[in-house]
Structures are given as C-alpha cells and as structure tokens.
Amino acid sequence: MTTNKSLQDRKLQVIARGQGNIYPAYVEKAHNAEIWDVEGQRYIDFATGIAVCNTGHSHPKVVEAIKQQVDKFSHSCMMVNPYEVAIELAEKLVVAAPGESEKKAIFVSTGAEAVENCIKIARAHTGRRGIVAFNGGFHGRTNMTMALTGKVTPYKNLFGPFPADIFHVPFPMELHNVSVKDSLNALENLFKVDIAASDVAAIIIEPVQGEGGFYPAPVELLQALRELCDKHGIVLIADEIQTGFGRTGKMFCFEHANVEPDLITMAKGIAGGFPLAAVVGKSHIMDAPLPGGLGGTYGGSPVGCAAALAVLDVIDEQKLVSRAQQIGARFTARLRELQDKFPAIIGEVRTKGAMIAIELIVDSDANQPNNGLTQAIIANAKEAGLVLLACGFYANVIRFLPALTISDEIIDEGLDKFEQLFSQQVNA
Ligand code: PMP
C-alpha cells in the first residue's frame, strides 16, 4: 500500500538530500485552501506552495484556461514562433505594474531567472558592475541569485565562489534595533569604502522580506532608495516574487509606498501554480539588452501565460486584493490574542495584507530567537492537520501565506488548530 512513509523512503533513495521536504505528507489532491495526502489526511494549507496558489489550489477558471490552451498547443518557444497569450499577458502586466512610466516585459520560467535577468538588464543599461542587496534578503538559488541572497546557511554554504561586485547592507528590523537610518548610513558608507555610487548598476530589495522573516521595508526606506537611485543613476529593482499579485493587499507591494521601481520581478502568484515568471520595467531600461540577449526555451510558456491570464481575471472578479487585507486583519486579531497569552514568547506579530508572521523569542528578549519552539511547531503541524512554514534570518518566524480565496470558516478552523498546537508545544 502507498503510504506517506513508503513514499518518503523511496524519495530518500533517489532524491538528493539537498532537495529536502518539510513534511513527509505526499499530496493526493488539493482544492482551494485544503490539501489531502495519500493516506486521506486533510490539511489546512497556510503555505500555498510558498505564496504561489494565491487563487487557491486548482481554481476552476485557471484549470479550464490551462485545458483549453493544452488542447491548442503547449510549446513552440516564444523566441521561435510567438503566440497571442504571451502578448495579451504582457499588455496586462505593464498596466498592472506600479507607476505611470511606459513599460515592457520579458517572460522566463522561475523567480531566480527573473532576478538574474534584472541584473543583466540593469548592467546593460548602466554599463556598471556593482549590485547592492540587503542582509537577510532572498533572491534565489542560482549562482548570481545566491550571491545576492543575504543569508549563508543553508542557501550559500558550500556553493561558492560567487560572482564579484555584490554588496550587502543591513535591512531595517525594528525588533532587532536596525533602523532605516542604519540602512541608509550603511549605503553611504559602502559608497565610500567599497564602490563608488557611479559604479553601481542596481539596488535590489524585497518590499517585505519573504524567506528573511516577513520584515516589511518601511515606506521611508523605499522612498529614500528611489531618491538615491535617481541621484546616482542606479536601477531600483523590486523583487516582488513573494509579495506580488495581491498578496500584501495591493497588486504589488511597492504601491503601499507610492514608489515606482525601475524593474520588477514577478513569479509565484503570477500563474496559480505554473512555472512562469516575468520582469516588467521601464521600457528604455528593458530595451538595453540586444535582440537575443534575453529569453530561454520555456520562457513565457503558453500554458503558463493562459493560466496567468485566468489568475488576473480571478483576482479581479473575486476582489482578492482587498480580500488580502481582510484575511490579514482576521489573522492579526487572533494572533495578537495569542500574543497576549504568551507575551514573553511572541515577540512580534507582523502583517502586510495576507503576508502574516509571528516571531518567537525567549523571555521577552528579541536577541534570543526561539528556534526550538519554532521547529517543534513546524514538526508537529502535520499531526495537527496544518501546512505551516518557518522563515527568518534567525529561523524563529512562523509565516502564514493562505490562499486569498480562503473562506473565513477555514481560516478560523486553521487558527483554532494553530492555537492548540502552539499551546501544546509551549507546554511540552
Ligand atoms: N525572490 C524571492 C523574494 C523569493 O521569495 C523567491 C522564492 N522563494 C525567489 C526570488 C526565487 O524564486 P524561484 O524559487 O521561483 O526561483
């Protein structure tokens, strides 16, 4: 009989340990905000495959769009024979992206590829070498994006050497006493110590650090970066791979700060579970690389584009951008009650729309990350029928990324389970 254990045993034989899995729960089917494993156990999904299924698992409209596209054709390569679905999607994305400037898009397959392409485009546009990223940021697992990522273990350890000319500065974290001023001072210092501002091609930032722990970039920081980039001719790249497509209560998170980035990465939520990614940016910057310099065999897969068009319709029809705010408020209210019960352990509840997290500490001391409790909660979530993710520079944050189509009933049921799990593990 096929069980979670039998599949996990087979997995360990043939899949290298580097591609680990959090839960030995093998998916049989998934619908909206629920998953069922091969043994019939039901889970409430607070992870959405890491912020991918914003429109829920297998939304009927997305499934239908995919089926129709597959019936027509599934691949011709955009660089050989292009097709209308990709053009239609690009037409919608250049309008949806924040800011008024005229924009263009390119399509690739994964988030890391989108980030890589931003760097290529920024360098081609500026003719400069330097790239500045932030401590704790996550940008992917390819060589360049690993170098941009601001955390060694597990992402960079054993994998060097990395490309040159990548620099990191601190990211503001109120709980850990890093202010916007600290970040800006570090940038000024960098320009004195390591690289002239006139030699910097781009600054890349997540408007809410995802893997880094759901720390939001304060509005003042994003506005100051915009000014700094304008002053020095630096390309400002918004990595919206985790924050995009309604997740934070705006279509893109930079809108909260009223700042227009030069380039934006899009992936994850773009296509409801299909591997599609994009870079959207100001046309004069996007057009810097020569014809043939950007692309890839599968970039802009017609099936992914058809899924993405359906995702955009669903976000609009079901008003998922404002729903993200309601979901965030519902989670926050409950998590703050939990914080009131455990004030010495829950250091902070952070919410930006439906990107919600709690940071676990020891004895009210933010300098003591509660890694043990975080791990215990994640390890026991399967039993509790929940899919949860940890994250954080200090690995002590539990994040909630529910589908934006989740019902209030399922949120409440999931949070009941979470509260019970939390109390059990605190008292264990
Ligand atoms: N940037 C951010 C902000 C991300 O959250 C991720 C994925 N977690 C990536 C880049 C990399 O995307 P992918 O895994 O699709 O390559």
Side-chain angles (χ1 to χ4, degrees):
M1 201 181 92
T2 302
T3 61
N4 289 316
K5 181 171 182 322
S6 69
L7 288 170
Q8 184 70 3
D9 288 346
R10 279 168 62 194
K11 183 208 164 188
L12 293 175
Q13 290 298 315
V14 289
I15 306 273
R17 64 180 183 167
Q19 193 165 25
N21 56 308
I22 301 169
Y23 298 105
Y26 282 76
V27 181
E28 177 68 25
K29 64 175 182 175
H31 174 69
N32 199 6
E34 294 161 279
I35 290 178
W36 287 264
D37 72 16
V38 289
E39 296 174 12
Q41 189 184 341
R42 167 182 174 262
Y43 304 86
I44 292 180
D45 184 11
F46 283 161
T48 48
I50 322 186
V52 169
C53 301
N54 289 4
T55 48
H57 290 284
S58 302
H59 192 290
K61 287 213 164 165
V62 179
V63 171
E64 187 49 38
I66 290 164
K67 282 185 180 162
Q68 280 188 16
Q69 181 58 46
V70 172
D71 275 346
K72 287 191 218 157
F73 65 97
S74 57
H75 181 76
S76 63
C77 185
M78 253 189 95
M79 300 186 301
V80 181
N81 294 112
Y83 29 82
E84 190 175 353
V85 269
I87 310 310
E88 197 184 332
L89 180 60
E91 284 166 349
K92 295 208 162 143
L93 293 179
V94 297
V95 174
E100 298 301 312
S101 308
E102 193 185 294
K103 296 191 179 63
K104 289 191 176 182
I106 59 156
F107 291 117
V108 287
S109 306
T110 67
E113 243 188 303
V115 173
E116 290 259 359
N117 277 279
C118 283
I119 306 305
K120 287 168 67 174
I121 295 165
R123 282 185 168 155
H125 170 69
T126 58
R128 303 175 181 181
R129 62 190 172 96
I131 311 289
V132 180
F134 286 83
N135 295 356
F138 182 87
H139 299 289
R141 294 171 186 276
T142 58
N143 194 250
M144 168 58 82
T145 58
M146 262 194 299
L148 294 171
T149 291
K151 188 178 176 191
V152 171
T153 304
Y155 308 124
K156 298 161 85 149
N157 199 12
L158 309 179
F159 297 134
F162 301 113
D165 300 318
I166 311 286
F167 306 90
H168 287 94
V169 292
F171 188 90
M173 294 177 181
E174 210 183 317
L175 189 65
H176 298 285
N177 295 320
V178 184
S179 66
V180 171
K181 199 155 184 298
D182 293 332
S183 299
L184 294 174
N185 286 346
L187 264 172
E188 285 304 325
N189 207 43
L190 181 78
F191 296 156
K192 279 202 198 98
V193 175
D194 285 315
I195 185 166
S198 58
D199 212 3
V200 173
I203 297 178
I204 182 165
I205 186 164
E206 297 164 88
V208 179
Q209 285 197 334
E211 305 306 307
F214 283 24
Y215 299 100
V219 168
E220 315 88 85
L221 177 71
L222 297 181
Q223 291 177 344
L225 289 179
R226 180 67 279 171
E227 270 177 39
L228 197 79
C229 287
D230 287 342
K231 181 170 158 203
H232 297 292
I234 298 170
V235 174
L236 180 59
I237 303 172
D239 186 343
E240 292 252 16
I241 287 167
Q242 196 155 151
T243 49
F245 295 92
R247 172 58 58 188
T248 69
K250 295 273 184 196
M251 191 63 177
F252 293 97
C253 190
F254 259 64
E255 291 168 45
H256 290 286
N258 217 358
V259 166
E260 179 174 7
D262 298 307
L263 301 176
I264 306 161
T265 59
M266 304 180 185
K268 291 190 186 277
I270 192 173
F274 271 72
L276 181 75
V279 178
V280 176
K282 295 180 181 168
S283 299
H284 68 287
I285 301 177
M286 291 293 291
D287 272 335
L290 301 176
L294 306 175
T297 306
Y298 296 108
S301 145
V303 185
C305 290
L309 283 169
V311 162
L312 289 177
D313 284 346
V314 171
I315 290 175
D316 189 37
E317 285 163 15
Q318 295 188 215
K319 302 191 171 42
L320 296 185
V321 178
S322 53
R323 176 67 185 147
Q325 297 276 18
Q326 294 164 3
I327 291 170
R330 201 169 184 93
F331 269 82
T332 308
R334 287 284 295 270
L335 293 171
R336 286 210 197 288
E337 278 171 26
L338 195 64
Q339 188 183 30
D340 288 343
K341 275 192 214 153
F342 300 100
I345 299 176
I346 301 184
E348 201 166 55
V349 178
R350 291 190 287 274
T351 312
K352 195 95 178 166
M355 217 170 161
I356 309 135
I358 54 175
E359 178 154 347
L360 305 184
I361 58 175
V362 178
D363 291 341
S364 305
D365 180 1
N367 293 321
Q368 290 189 60
N370 204 331
N371 307 111
L373 180 61
T374 310
Q375 277 167 21
I377 289 170
I378 298 296
N380 287 283
K382 180 181 178 302
E383 285 292 280
L386 287 174
V387 185
L388 291 175
L389 295 172
C391 63
F393 193 62
Y394 302 102
N396 63 332
V397 176
I398 294 182
R399 58 176 152 169
F400 302 87
L401 287 162
L404 306 182
T405 46
I406 193 171
S407 67
D408 285 346
E409 291 69 37
I410 301 265
I411 295 176
D412 292 348
E413 187 191 341
L415 285 174
D416 288 345
K417 287 176 192 286
F418 179 73
E419 276 177 18
Q420 216 183 351
L421 170 65
F422 191 93
S423 308
Q424 267 168 10
Q425 293 308 314
V426 169
N427 296 317

